[in-house]
Amino acid sequence: MTLAMHWIASSWGTPDTWEFVEHEVPRPGPGEISIRVRAAGVNPADAKHVAAARPGVELPVSIGYEVSGEITAIGPDTQIGSGPASVGDEVVAFRVSGGYATALTIPAEKAFAKPTTLTHPEAANLLLAGTTAAEMLSVTKAAPGETILLHGASGAVGVSVLQQAAFRGIRVIGTASAKRFDVVERFGGIPVTYGPGLADRVRQATAGGAVAAALDAVGTDEAIDVSLELVDERRRIVTIAASQRAGADGILAIAGSMPASARFRDDIRAELVALAQNGDLVVPVTRTFPLNEAPAALQLLAGGHPGGKLALIPSS
């Protein structure tokens, strides 16, 4: 076995209660690989999922869902999600347990050859936001030539939605603060400010056209209310942040913990990796932190609008 450092939650609470401890990384068995982590992606779910007790989840909980790194060992008769692999190959892995680590052993099917177009910090942030964005577009049946409304267009999920929509020929009107308009425009969206009068600004941006679907990545009442006002079919409105409103108003809600969402996100991984390899999907990273400063990264993320994705970097 290999010794490594990783972050765990030994009690329910905020990141400042987490512990950075040594543990043994088991050798991979059949269907498994071991990875030396070069970067771990930082996502709101990392803290959210250990903030309070959840049914079926026992402490301690290893933190982190996506990483980029290199293979250090491969179990017998094993290949990764993208096919055959060798020790030393660079990979990106998603829906792992315990990504805030210097090394870990994972099911091999969760790993794909890392796009050579992305750095490790970028690759480590590709798939959680990317698969969420892809599912939002899928469940709302957004189609080429349509105009959709995206709440939270300058955030991590929003930026991935913008790119995937542009690739498919879908026009996006995206809400953002005025200081983040450049991000929305960079990725092909039409920015509008949120706040009073939002529905009218969206109508002006459509130039008299219809809003076919709405994607909510912020969870505010304004986002849901405006979506309901502008979109004719409630089943073409989806939220990832307002599940209570979804139940009350008859719109869609998705989450990685839902079986249907999990299946979709697993199935779409290879397509998103290919888009990144072709240069059609990029991941803006604004800052990296040493792995041992994970709580500081989560504190910045919790403050809202960090300006791009964050990544944790293990020391060499």
Side-chain angles (χ1 to χ4, degrees):
M1 292 189 179
T2 300
L3 292 177
M5 299 295 293
H6 71 159
W7 281 97
I8 63 169
S10 56
S11 61
W12 307 111
T14 55
D16 60 294
T17 66
W18 297 352
E19 300 175 37
F20 191 46
V21 297
E22 189 175 69
H23 75 124
E24 292 184 339
V25 179
R27 290 189 58 81
E32 296 179 326
I33 61 171
S34 295
I35 297 175
R36 177 181 294 114
V37 177
R38 295 303 189 187
V42 179
N43 296 286
D46 302 340
K48 177 182 177 182
H49 290 174
V50 293
R54 293 188 294 146
V57 180
E58 297 183 359
L59 296 168
V61 178
S62 298
I63 310 296
Y65 294 115
E66 57 181 339
V67 300
S68 181
E70 61 192 38
I71 298 174
T72 56
I74 302 176
D77 303 318
T78 295
Q79 63 179 20
I80 63 175
S82 53
S86 303
V87 170
D89 287 355
E90 293 185 333
V91 292
V92 57
F94 169 56
R95 296 182 68 83
V96 304
S97 176
Y100 284 20
T102 57
L104 72 164
T105 295
I106 64 168
E109 62 87 16
K110 295 181 180 292
F112 290 76
K114 182 183 83 66
T116 58
T117 52
L118 301 182
T119 65
H120 282 297
E122 291 167 345
N125 282 289
L126 172 66
L127 289 175
L128 194 151
T131 59
T132 303
E135 188 183 5
M136 295 180 84
L137 288 166
S138 176
V139 298
T140 55
K141 298 179 171 58
E146 289 187 325
T147 297
I148 65 174
L149 173 61
L150 170 62
H151 300 281
S154 66
V157 172
V159 165
S160 192
V161 168
L162 289 170
Q163 294 177 79
Q164 294 183 51
F167 181 76
R168 300 179 190 181
I170 300 166
R171 183 170 180 255
V172 181
I173 298 171
T175 68
S177 64
K179 65 182 180 182
R180 299 282 288 168
F181 274 18
D182 60 326
V183 176
V184 180
E185 292 170 338
R186 173 187 169 190
F187 294 108
I190 301 168
V192 295
T193 54
Y194 45 77
L198 173 59
D200 288 336
R201 290 191 293 276
V202 174
R203 289 189 182 97
Q204 291 173 0
T206 66
V211 177
L215 286 61
D216 168 43
V218 295
T220 62
D221 285 334
E222 175 191 67
I224 303 303
D225 291 342
V226 169
S227 298
L228 290 167
E229 181 177 344
L230 296 176
V231 178
D232 289 338
E233 299 179 45
R234 294 197 175 199
R235 303 304 286 178
R236 298 196 72 185
I237 302 171
V238 65
T239 182
I240 61 171
S243 58
Q244 290 184 333
R245 286 296 304 268
D249 294 301
I251 64 174
L252 301 173
I254 59 173
S257 59
M258 296 177 176
S261 291
R263 287 192 297 271
F264 178 92
R265 297 179 194 196
D266 281 348
D267 290 344
I268 203 71
R269 292 173 300 176
E271 180 179 326
L272 298 180
V273 170
L275 284 175
Q277 181 61 53
N278 292 337
D280 295 313
L281 188 57
V282 302
V283 183
V285 172
T286 190
R287 184 174 173 184
T288 63
F289 288 77
L291 177 61
N292 62 1
E293 296 181 14
L298 269 299
Q299 182 178 22
L300 176 60
L301 185 63
H305 306 298
K309 293 293 292 183
L310 308 175
L312 302 174
I313 310 299
S315 59
S316 302

